[in-house]
Amino acid sequence: MSIKIDKKENRITLKTKNTMYVMQILFDRFPVHLYYGKNSPKADLTYRARNTSYSPNYEEYGFTYVPNAEMVEFPFYGNGDYRADALRLRDMTSGSKVTEFIYQKARKFKGRKDIPGLPFADANENTETLELTMTDKFTGCTLKLYYTLFPECDIISRYFTLENGGNGDVRIEKCMSLSLDLPDMNYEMISFCGSHCMERIPQITPLFRGNQRVESKRGASSHQANPFIMLAANGAKEESGNVYGFNFVYSGSFLDEVETDFNGTTRVAVGLGSDNFSMLLKPGEEFSSPEAIMTFSSSGIGTVSRNMHSFIRSHILPAEKYEKRPVVLNSWEAFYFDIDEDIMIDFAKAAKECGADMLVMDDGWFGKRINDRAGLGDWYENPDRFKDGLAPFADRIHAQDVKFGIWIEPEMVNPDSDLFRAHPDWILLAPGRDPLVARHQHVLDFANPDVLEYIKNILSACFDGVAIDYFKWDMNRHMCSVYSPVLPPERQDETAYRYMLGVYELYRWLTERYPNAMIENCSGGGGRYDLGMMKYSTQIWTSDNTTPADRVFIQYGSSFGYPASTMSCHVATGIGSLEDKNKLDFGYRTALAGPLGYEFNALKATDELKKTINAQIDEYRRYEHLILRGDFYRMLNPLECGCSAYCFASDSRSELLFTLLRCGNDGGTDMLKRFTDSLKTGKSRTVPESFRVRFAAAKRNTVYKDMISGECFDGDTLRRGITVNVPKEGLYSKMMYLVED
Ligand code: GLA
């Protein structure tokens, strides 16, 4: 077992492959934190009382336990710890929200505890869990803190359950799944901010004294923020230094809080927060928090990314539906809303001629959806466009020898729809307030079980008996006026959370009802690029921005927390003209960073273009095992030098796939430049003419042959670094496929 509960020393030690986490139970009462870092016999596990003035203490323990100054396992509200609290519980009888739980016992078990209704990481034979039980004598509540170890990925996850065993109501008013105290504050926080079409641009900020937060209040993890953050010790680099990583298995509003204090310690917390959440618990009721995860590496930012990647691949993502990921041809950027049966059949033919495996029919096939002003909610085929219905149509698509994928956006409704006309009270809207639209649509109240039932019925009436191989599940606006008419006043702060439970229920329903179909998640591109969505979706549409010079940056940022296998990459109209060989080459090579797809009007493609695309897909198939399952190494930061370089390595390191992409003279398009300038993250984007790239993944004493150029390199030289020259002007790409000779 990797969990050791030492009752004599009152100490609990958790060990993963390379990390160690140690806590102590002080005075049989308070779980305090001793250490999280490298698994080393030299680790400093001394408990240090950190008294300071103006910090209340328990008289009986003197200054050996001062809540505001300790490193604690799980901080409570209102009880002398003034830093960010993880749990705030209001006793509804007295009105008090002073929260205090006292340690009772610890136990360990194989596997994990499931989290009802929410996505959570799958256990395997190595998974073990520590459960700490704490009770509150005043409210009668029992709190169980869980630490689940995924040892081979160096990941520890954190979640809790709270059971109201008392006689009165209580309300959780702040809920953080994870709280971690670190003894120092010499870190830079790496967070990923953005906007629609510019998701997950890394932002690096040194920690300052006080509270710094990354959060979303949008009801979605969002384009603007992402729950994944890193704390990199000053001086840490891609392949060296101490780095922590944190993420949240949830897709709605969230809060990442990082607070440093007068003692120079740091507290990191990840959870639902307090602004967009509360939960009433009646006597006998139990609440389970979503799962948060953390990792540590003493060998750099890159290793933390790889820990996250392998964890997501083996414990989060659904099992692959097909032997190979289908290369799709998607109709959106080709036709937008102007689609019908005949166009789609021709498009399927063109998909086949290009060598693609699947036709994805995007928006525009249902209800009165001829533009974005109508039809959402009316999930039946538009009879003017699909005369014989969907089932024969899907068969005709399959007759072209390609798979069939279809677009849905089940959480939304247009005011101009049969659904909205019949049920105007089925949207999120506060009483007495005017509804605000975004993209001419409202958010359906998924906290209302009737709405969910209706959507299941209308979807099954539409899709049962139709041979569907893939759903693209979209979500194209954020919440406001959050209020559910079916919840009582005292439960209104539960709406956004209950909405997410509804979304997850529908995902599970869709997966079970159509077990042969894979799901690609989308939210105006990568607006819900998170571990909650990844639990049900094999891949995510990375961004609506398909301009390769921008995509380079979006993919770079996304790679910090998420594996390439999740990053749906299309060669699309953002390239400019696909007939322009240079642009096409650059766009395609940029897209070789995740599951490949195409999104352009293939009906107009020349035979030569179709031939080129066939060759591209053949080549992608040769590299796919590395892109989807290899270890990923970032080698150049495009925000610093306008050039991205990275490498996928096979398990044994006998194959290395290297890509270098130079985005243009300043790197990225004007849109990206404006965005990154405002962040001040790019140190300089003057693009040098030669780069030194180091292959940290190369094996020593090994000769590699580049199967593209025929050149040979020895592993030690690759590790020390080789020079790549790039031309002065324009887009440029270089790839090497290095195979052990
Ligand atoms: C969103 C998606 C696009 C496309 C459109 C359809 O913007 O990100 O890929 O599906 O919706 O309306």
Side-chain angles (χ1 to χ4, degrees):
M1 283 291 255
S2 312
I3 300 176
K4 196 170 150 215
I5 303 175
D6 180 340
K7 294 218 164 101
K8 226 169 85 215
E9 298 279 325
N10 252 336
R11 186 177 276 190
I12 301 172
T13 307
L14 317 178
K15 282 188 183 169
T16 66
K17 195 164 142 209
N18 300 294
T19 73
M20 178 160 77
Y21 186 106
V22 188
M23 67 182 85
Q24 186 164 341
I25 313 300
L26 212 58
F27 309 120
D28 286 332
R29 206 176 160 171
F30 309 111
V32 294
H33 181 71
L34 297 185
Y35 179 81
Y36 183 34
K38 187 176 176 175
N39 179 5
S40 150
K42 291 194 204 130
D44 179 4
L45 304 182
T46 337
Y47 168 70
R48 288 189 181 81
R50 293 180 161 82
N51 177 39
T52 56
S53 52
Y54 280 83
S55 294
N57 60 308
Y58 294 86
E59 194 79 88
E60 67 263 46
Y61 306 122
F63 296 121
T64 41
Y65 184 76
V66 180
N68 191 39
E70 305 305 332
M71 303 224 296
V72 299
E73 275 306 311
F74 206 65
F76 303 115
Y77 176 83
N79 213 22
D81 186 343
Y82 299 108
R83 296 164 293 176
D85 52 313
L87 182 64
R88 203 177 296 167
L89 186 69
R90 191 186 290 276
D91 168 53
M92 298 300 281
T93 314
S94 65
S96 162
K97 55 180 175 176
V98 174
T99 309
E100 189 184 54
F101 283 83
I102 301 297
Y103 172 82
Q104 300 300 328
K105 59 182 179 193
R107 74 171 182 115
K108 60 183 182 179
F109 55 90
K110 275 263 175 212
R112 64 161 303 147
K113 189 185 159 14
D114 293 357
I115 306 178
L118 287 171
F120 56 86
D122 295 322
N124 66 10
E125 63 286 357
N126 304 321
T127 309
E128 294 168 41
T129 299
L130 169 73
E131 176 191 82
L132 296 188
T133 302
M134 303 180 80
T135 53
D136 171 12
K137 63 176 189 278
F138 177 61
T139 59
C141 288
T142 301
L143 173 69
K144 289 185 178 165
L145 301 180
Y146 292 95
Y147 298 71
T148 294
L149 276 57
F150 302 90
E152 73 283 4
C153 312
D154 281 329
I155 296 275
I156 300 177
S157 85
R158 308 272 304 266
Y159 47 103
F160 70 79
T161 61
L162 188 90
E163 193 204 339
N164 183 358
N167 300 321
D169 293 357
V170 294
R171 188 156 70 198
I172 303 172
E173 295 194 346
K174 184 172 183 195
C175 170
M176 303 304 277
S177 302
L178 173 159
S179 181
L180 172 71
D181 283 352
L182 298 169
D184 56 345
M185 60 170 282
N186 304 319
Y187 299 98
E188 288 183 322
M189 174 158 78
I190 309 178
S191 59
F192 303 87
C193 58
S195 64
H196 176 226
C197 290
M198 200 53 72
E199 297 90 337
R200 291 171 299 287
I201 303 300
Q203 173 170 231
I204 305 174
T205 44
L207 295 190
F208 55 83
R209 270 177 215 258
N211 189 307
Q212 40 243 277
R213 35 208 281 158
V214 174
E215 66 187 323
S216 164
K217 300 176 181 173
R218 296 167 175 268
S221 50
S222 84
H223 312 82
Q224 289 75 7
N226 191 276
F228 177 62
I229 56 167
M230 286 173 158
L231 289 187
N234 291 342
K237 300 198 174 62
E238 275 294 333
E239 304 304 335
S240 66
N242 288 341
V243 182
Y244 296 88
F246 305 90
N247 210 339
F248 198 29
V249 189
Y250 190 69
S251 314
S253 300
F254 69 90
L255 172 65
D256 292 340
E257 221 171 355
V258 180
E259 185 165 326
T260 63
D261 71 354
F262 44 83
N263 275 329
T265 65
T266 302
R267 174 167 293 169
V268 192
V270 178
L272 295 169
S274 57
D275 285 358
N276 307 289
F277 171 80
S278 82
M279 177 63 61
L280 187 71
L281 290 183
K282 301 223 163 261
E285 285 183 346
E286 185 177 273
F287 169 80
S288 301
S289 80
E291 181 166 32
I293 61 164
M294 57 190 188
T295 188
F296 168 83
S297 173
S298 58
S299 46
I301 299 166
T303 310
V304 163
S305 290
R306 288 185 289 277
N307 290 350
M308 290 289 173
H309 296 174
S310 64
F311 170 74
I312 294 168
R313 285 194 303 244
S314 38
H315 297 279
I316 297 283
L317 289 167
E320 298 284 341
K321 289 282 179 217
Y322 309 110
E323 206 188 313
K324 291 183 185 310
R325 290 284 175 90
V327 172
V328 308
L329 177 66
N330 180 300
S331 65
W332 179 246
E333 288 191 8
F335 311 111
Y336 296 103
F337 293 98
D338 297 330
I339 57 171
D340 65 23
E341 197 163 29
D342 294 338
I343 295 173
M344 284 298 101
I345 300 293
D346 288 347
F347 203 46
K349 265 186 216 146
K352 183 69 196 167
E353 284 161 13
C354 289
D357 308 293
M358 182 185 282
L359 178 279
V360 175
M361 178 164 73
D362 211 283
D363 204 348
W365 60 268
F366 54 92
K368 299 224 164 48
R369 188 77 170 171
I370 52 168
N371 54 41
D372 61 7
R373 290 177 175 270
L376 282 175
D378 297 341
W379 299 107
Y380 44 81
E381 68 276 5
N382 178 335
D384 299 337
R385 294 181 166 194
F386 297 86
K387 297 202 172 52
D388 304 323
L390 271 194
F393 167 70
D395 294 343
R396 285 178 68 197
I397 297 282
H398 281 125
Q400 309 306 318
D401 196 21
V402 288
K403 293 186 164 66
F404 174 49
I406 195 162
W407 182 94
I408 51 173
E409 192 179 357
E411 296 158 75
M412 300 290 156
V413 66
N414 284 116
D416 184 1
S417 66
D418 296 345
L419 173 58
F420 187 74
R421 279 183 286 274
H423 299 284
D425 55 337
W426 275 8
I427 61 168
L428 296 179
L429 178 63
R433 305 293 167 212
D434 293 331
L436 277 75
V437 288
R439 210 192 185 204
H440 317 289
Q441 64 197 52
H442 297 307
V443 184
L444 283 170
D445 177 11
F446 266 34
N448 178 349
D450 292 345
V451 175
L452 219 53
E453 205 43 40
Y454 178 90
I455 294 294
K456 285 179 191 169
N457 288 337
I458 193 167
L459 290 180
S460 48
C462 184
F463 296 140
D464 281 6
V466 183
I468 293 176
D469 305 299
Y470 159 119
F471 289 103
K472 176 177 172 186
W473 178 321
D474 212 335
M475 192 276 219
N476 279 315
R477 71 157 285 183
H478 292 149
M479 292 178 185
C480 65
S481 205
V482 177
Y483 185 94
S484 169
V486 297
L487 291 174
E490 67 278 14
R491 287 201 183 272
Q492 281 304 327
D493 286 356
E494 298 170 18
T495 305
Y497 171 75
R498 288 180 182 275
Y499 173 95
M500 280 319 307
L501 292 181
V503 170
Y504 292 135
E505 185 186 323
L506 195 67
Y507 263 102
R508 282 190 294 273
W509 174 86
L510 195 73
T511 307
E512 280 157 24
R513 187 133 189 139
Y514 307 102
N516 298 328
M518 65 175 267
I519 303 177
E520 172 157 335
N521 169 263
C522 174
S523 174
R528 280 202 302 205
Y529 211 103
D530 58 63
L531 300 184
M533 287 295 143
M534 285 177 195
K535 181 73 189 176
Y536 307 104
S537 329
T538 312
Q539 57 195 47
I540 297 187
W541 180 225
T542 313
S543 178
D544 274 347
N545 186 340
T546 58
T547 303
D550 286 341
R551 267 291 180 122
V552 167
F553 292 82
I554 297 166
Q555 291 167 191
Y556 171 78
S558 305
S559 78
F560 280 72
Y562 304 99
S565 68
T566 62
M567 237 184 266
S568 180
C569 295
H570 292 184
V571 176
T573 57
I575 283 182
S577 164
L578 270 72
E579 305 288 344
D580 178 328
K581 195 179 167 324
N582 281 341
K583 287 182 176 165
L584 177 62
D585 271 3
F586 187 79
Y588 158 71
R589 286 183 154 187
T590 305
L592 280 182
L596 182 67
Y598 289 80
E599 196 165 329
F600 74 106
N601 189 348
L603 300 182
K604 293 193 180 146
T606 58
D607 288 345
E608 203 190 327
L609 179 56
K610 286 180 186 159
K611 219 166 112 197
T612 307
I613 294 176
N614 268 285
Q616 289 177 342
I617 294 174
D618 286 348
E619 186 185 51
Y620 164 74
R621 289 294 183 210
R622 289 201 291 281
Y623 302 148
E624 188 179 20
H625 62 292
L626 294 168
I627 298 171
L628 301 190
R629 291 181 293 282
D631 287 338
F632 182 77
Y633 290 78
R634 283 177 297 271
M635 295 156 89
L636 291 177
N637 173 357
L639 289 159
E640 280 183 8
C641 64
C643 203
S644 190
Y646 45 85
C647 170
F648 293 97
S650 63
D651 246 6
S652 64
R653 307 284 179 261
S654 57
E655 290 173 82
L656 306 172
L657 180 67
F658 168 79
T659 303
L660 179 143
L661 299 159
R662 194 188 97 135
C663 322
N665 285 344
D666 308 302
T669 59
D670 281 351
M671 177 170 171
L672 180 112
K673 268 182 277 163
R674 277 198 305 278
F675 188 74
T676 50
D677 282 350
S678 72
L679 286 178
K680 299 196 175 40
T681 46
K683 289 184 183 120
S684 143
R685 277 202 311 273
T686 320
V687 186
E689 283 167 40
S690 77
F691 292 94
R692 216 152 162 77
V693 285
R694 292 184 181 78
F695 289 72
K699 283 202 285 189
R700 295 177 206 281
N701 302 319
T702 302
V703 175
Y704 288 94
K705 183 172 182 185
D706 176 8
M707 306 308 277
I708 297 172
S709 69
E711 240 181 302
C712 286
F713 299 87
D714 78 88
D716 297 273
T717 308
L718 289 171
R719 289 182 70 86
R720 279 196 302 276
I722 57 169
T723 302
V724 179
N725 297 317
V726 301
K728 253 186 170 160
E729 299 283 322
L731 303 171
Y732 171 75
S733 68
K734 179 181 174 68
M735 287 189 73
M736 289 159 81
Y737 177 36
L738 298 160
V739 178
E740 198 174 346
D741 212 13

